[in-house]
Structure formats: C-alpha cells, structure tokens
Amino acid sequence: MPPTRRVAFAPRLIVMAKQPRAGAVKRRLARGIGTVAATRFYRTTLRHTLMRLGADPRWQTYLAVSPDRALREPFWPRVTRIPQGEGDLGARMQRLFDAMPPGPAVLVGSDIPAICPTHIAEAFRCLGRADAVFGPAEDGGYWLVGFRRRPGRLSPFDGVPWSTDHALTATCDNLKGRTVALTDTLSDVDTAEDFGHLKRGFGNAVWATAPRG
C-alpha cells in the first residue's frame, strides 16, 4: 500500500502509465504514423504530464505502472510508483482507488497532451461538493475520474463497455443516487488524424524533439 502523508485526507493524484515499449503502447496510432513515432509520442507525453503534474504541492502524485514487472525499470521518472495489477481497466482502476489512503483521489491517463495542473485542481474542487467527478472525452469515454471517498467506497466500474462511446454513461449509471460533477472535455491521441490535429494545435517542436529509444 502507498505510504500515507502527514496531512490527513490529503488529495492524491494517480497517473496510469504503460511501460513505454515499442509495440506495447499507442498501437492504433502506430498503424498511422509508425511504431517508432507512436512510442516516441507516448514517452514524450508521459514525461511532460509528470513534469506538469508531479511536482505540484497541492496533491501527492503516484505513477501506476503496467505491467507490474516494469515497476523498477530505470526509465520511470522520480515519483512514487505503484503497480496497476491484473484485470481489465475497471478492475485496475478500482484496485488503485482502494489502495489510496483516506481522502479525495483523482486518476488520469498518461496520454492526454493538453492536461495541466488547472484541470486537476478543478477536479479536486468539484469533489468538495460531489461524490464523483469525470473529465469527459470526445469519444464518449473519460480522461479523468475522481472520488471524494467519504462516506463509503464507490465501485462504479462493473460492466462498463470500455473503448466504446458508452463508457462514461455506463459508469455514471452505476453511480445513481450519488452526486456527479463534470470537468472540461479533453481527448487522447489515438489515430494519425488526432496526431495531425495535435501538431497543428501545439506545433511540431515538442514532438520532433522527443527522446528516441
């Protein structure tokens, strides 16, 4: 179990990440731009996400790693690392929330280029008045989920059709009777078309200088 902070009920941020190995990440994107470029994109986005979010003193950040055997690999940034464990996405997310010390917790992916500390701070603010918070994605899923976690444990991931346009709706249906808040809509980069939009919006420099390997 992750170590607790001295401040009771302090907010926790969990960033889920896969081992950035060629062929293991962004496979849909790789079909459009190539495996090397897709892996480079993922590594760069992961690094920038942790640079922007991991040092913020308003919350404690955990990097949830998959597969578990990659937990001690040297390429991970210097942030508290925990294993995701086995199972589908819902089972892994539930396990991560259950492992956190008491207090509000927010979970995000590691392939959302536009994510910034303002988004995370807003999610925690939402949990001041809501039981759960979601950051909707344009494809019907969500890039952020968080729970106030008091009173009681929430377990809304059972039966959710992951990777479909019903993922957010199905998760919210599992939270009937609870107060749910929504934050900004963001998206990950899954296709060559998405990647093209990203470069036009952010410029080529960041992705062209991504580390190779």
Side-chain angles (χ1 to χ4, degrees):
M1 179 175 290
T4 58
R5 294 181 69 186
R6 287 176 294 177
V7 181
F9 299 102
R12 269 84 184 185
L13 171 67
I14 307 164
V15 180
M16 295 184 78
K18 292 181 180 179
Q19 181 182 13
R21 179 171 51 83
V25 295
K26 308 307 294 183
R27 283 177 285 194
R28 284 180 59 197
L29 179 60
R31 290 197 290 269
I33 68 172
T35 299
V36 172
T39 305
R40 189 183 307 151
F41 163 77
Y42 183 82
R43 289 184 178 185
T44 301
T45 305
L46 171 61
R47 183 187 65 191
H48 286 189
T49 296
L50 290 172
M51 285 173 58
R52 288 192 295 266
L53 306 182
D56 199 299
R58 290 175 289 181
W59 51 76
Q60 183 172 1
T61 301
Y62 297 87
L63 180 63
V65 173
S66 177
D68 294 358
R69 64 177 181 275
L71 193 65
R72 300 187 183 280
E73 292 289 342
F75 49 72
W76 299 113
R78 291 186 177 180
V79 63
T80 302
R81 297 189 297 274
I82 56 177
Q84 290 186 22
E86 301 299 324
D88 68 6
L89 178 60
R92 287 179 281 130
M93 290 197 296
Q94 188 68 61
R95 184 181 298 110
L96 292 170
F97 277 114
D98 290 346
M100 289 292 106
V106 165
L107 183 150
V108 297
S110 55
D111 56 355
I112 315 295
I115 195 171
C116 66
T118 301
H119 295 118
I120 306 305
E122 175 60 22
F124 282 120
R125 279 194 291 270
C126 287
L127 291 177
R129 61 182 186 273
D131 297 309
V133 61
F134 293 91
E138 293 179 357
D139 61 5
Y142 45 93
W143 60 271
L144 176 149
V145 55
F147 301 131
R148 181 164 52 184
R149 303 196 310 144
R150 69 179 191 272
R153 170 185 183 268
L154 296 180
S155 52
F157 304 121
D158 292 343
V160 172
W162 305 112
S163 302
T164 73
D165 57 2
H166 302 296
L168 176 57
T169 300
T171 309
C172 289
D173 285 346
N174 289 337
L175 288 168
K176 286 182 178 178
R178 299 284 191 162
T179 306
V180 175
L182 300 178
T183 64
D184 293 339
T185 299
L186 298 179
S187 292
D188 60 5
V189 176
D190 280 334
T191 66
E193 183 180 6
D194 296 337
F195 189 68
H197 291 320
L198 174 71
K199 292 200 295 182
R200 286 191 291 273
F202 286 81
N204 292 319
V206 170
W207 316 113
T209 58
R212 298 180 180 272

